[in-house]
Amino acid sequence: MIASVRGVVAAIAPDSAVIEVGGVGLQVQCAPGTLASLRTGAEARLATSMVVREDSLTLYGFADDDEKHLFELLQTASGVGPRLAQAVLAVHQPETVRRAISGGDLATLTRVPGIGKKGAERLVLELRDRIGPMPMGDGGSAGMLNGAWQDQVRQGVLALGWSAAQADQAVAAVAESIDGEVPPVPVLLRQAIRLLGKAR
């Protein structure tokens, strides 16, 4: 089992990155928020979870161990595979997922593509007692990113194939939409991607 990888980012694709470790390029499936934090040519460390199938070995990568553990926990629920578990973490922050499951917030869970009302009810029923303690605090991690989010979102958009001009336009549009506290970078990146998708 490969628990984490550390190495130079050789390439970034819309849904994965290649991390070169000891001369071997490992393709790691990642959510947009994780990809946004990577830079081609720079060293990175990703917590990873390997999913073994009869016809494939797939490595999923995460920004930290908390995301990885939640990804693995989600898959213990009936009907949840790795793709759906990753989709949950692409749409919501780990603390949002934990809060939704522990509080029975079906509306939040059904915002994830592929999860309907019955699927959300099943997640709550099966995972509520195993989801772990709720994180304390008022979102201080988001506050630390306030000054640097523009560059991180811009780099994430560029890594996904848009031009520098489009990236700047998206960042400016996202900045105008912020009212009050700055959301986490993955949330901002998803907003930028939605804006660019509409403009195409």
Side-chain angles (χ1 to χ4, degrees):
M1 184 61 68
I2 301 175
S4 67
V5 297
R6 182 189 294 275
V8 174
V9 180
I12 300 174
D15 61 354
S16 65
V18 176
I19 310 293
E20 199 164 284
V21 182
V24 177
L26 299 175
Q27 184 174 30
V28 187
Q29 300 293 315
C30 302
T34 303
L35 292 171
S37 68
L38 304 178
R39 304 286 181 273
T40 303
E43 184 172 275
R45 183 226 180 240
L46 294 175
T48 56
S49 178
M50 180 175 281
V51 175
V52 180
R53 296 282 185 264
E54 284 186 12
D55 57 348
S56 67
L57 294 172
T58 307
L59 206 55
Y60 289 84
F62 309 92
D64 55 40
D65 290 322
D66 185 37
E67 280 191 7
K68 169 190 169 178
H69 293 149
L70 187 54
F71 169 81
E72 293 173 344
L73 178 64
L74 287 167
Q75 290 179 79
T76 65
S78 305
V80 179
R83 289 286 184 186
L84 187 55
Q86 189 178 49
V88 172
L89 292 168
V91 174
H92 296 304
Q93 294 292 299
E95 60 268 24
T96 302
V97 178
R98 287 198 177 89
R99 224 172 260 121
I101 291 175
S102 65
D105 184 356
L106 303 184
T108 293
L109 294 172
T110 53
R111 287 193 197 112
V112 178
I115 296 183
K117 185 181 177 185
K118 287 186 177 179
E121 289 172 343
R122 193 163 55 240
L123 281 174
V124 171
L125 179 67
E126 296 184 19
L127 300 181
R128 176 180 266 162
D129 294 333
R130 296 189 286 143
I131 201 66
M134 293 297 98
M136 303 300 289
D138 57 357
S141 60
M144 290 191 300
L145 294 170
N146 285 1
W149 73 263
Q150 290 97 332
D151 183 56
Q152 292 186 37
V153 170
R154 185 177 188 277
Q155 292 297 327
V157 169
L158 290 173
L160 294 174
W162 277 281
S163 68
Q166 288 172 312
D168 290 337
Q169 182 182 359
V171 169
V174 170
E176 286 179 11
S177 71
I178 294 174
D179 182 19
E181 185 180 348
V182 177
V185 168
V187 174
L188 296 169
L189 176 63
R190 284 193 291 274
Q191 188 176 345
I193 292 169
R194 279 198 300 271
L195 291 168
L196 288 167
K198 288 177 183 176
R200 278 184 165 176

